[in-house]
Amino acid sequence: GVESTSGCGLPALLYVLVRITGGFGANDDTALEERRRHLLLQVLLPLHKPSHLILWRDQTPALQLYHEPLVLNVINVLKLYPRYTEDVMTGLCHAAVWGGGNGR
C-alpha cells in the first residue's frame, strides 16, 4: 500500500472546526451547551487516544498529525465552559492509560 502522512484530511477538518469553536459565544441555551459538551467529551477527547502509526519505518503516531488543531478545539470549548476542565483532564488521563500512551 501507499504510505501517507496526510492524516486523511483530519488536520484540515480540525482547523476548520477551530474557527467554528473559536466563534462560540456564551449562550443560556442548555440544549446548545449539551451539544458542545458532547463535541468536547465524545468527539474531541477520543481523538487523543493513540491508535496506530502512520509510517512504521518512521514511528510516526497518527495523533502527531492532528494534535495541534485538536488541542486548539479543546481549549476553545474550555474557554467558554471552564467547568468541564476536570472532565477533560480525566478523559485525557484515561486515554493515556487505556490507549497505550506514554503520558506525554
Side-chain angles (χ1 to χ4, degrees):
V2 176
E3 293 179 331
S4 171
T5 57
S6 70
C8 298
L10 188 56
L13 179 64
L14 286 171
Y15 274 116
V16 170
L17 189 59
V18 166
R19 301 288 297 211
I20 294 169
T21 59
F24 283 175
N27 195 319
D28 292 334
D29 183 352
T30 56
L32 185 57
E33 180 180 343
E34 188 55 37
R35 285 191 286 271
R36 291 173 178 171
R37 185 174 188 273
H38 177 82
L39 172 69
L40 180 65
L41 301 178
Q42 303 299 318
V43 177
L44 297 173
L45 280 185
L47 287 173
H48 278 89
K49 291 182 182 176
S51 57
H52 61 281
L53 299 175
I54 296 296
L55 294 175
W56 179 255
R57 70 171 187 273
D58 297 336
Q59 297 291 294
T60 303
L63 179 60
Q64 179 179 330
L65 300 177
Y66 59 85
H67 188 253
E68 181 180 347
L70 180 59
V71 169
L72 291 172
N73 277 293
V74 171
I75 289 169
N76 281 344
V77 177
L78 287 179
K79 283 180 183 177
L80 193 57
Y81 303 107
R83 64 184 162 273
Y84 297 141
T85 301
E86 185 176 339
D87 294 332
V88 168
M89 296 307 295
T90 300
L92 290 174
C93 290
H94 183 73
V97 170
W98 296 109
N102 59 10
R104 288 191 286 167

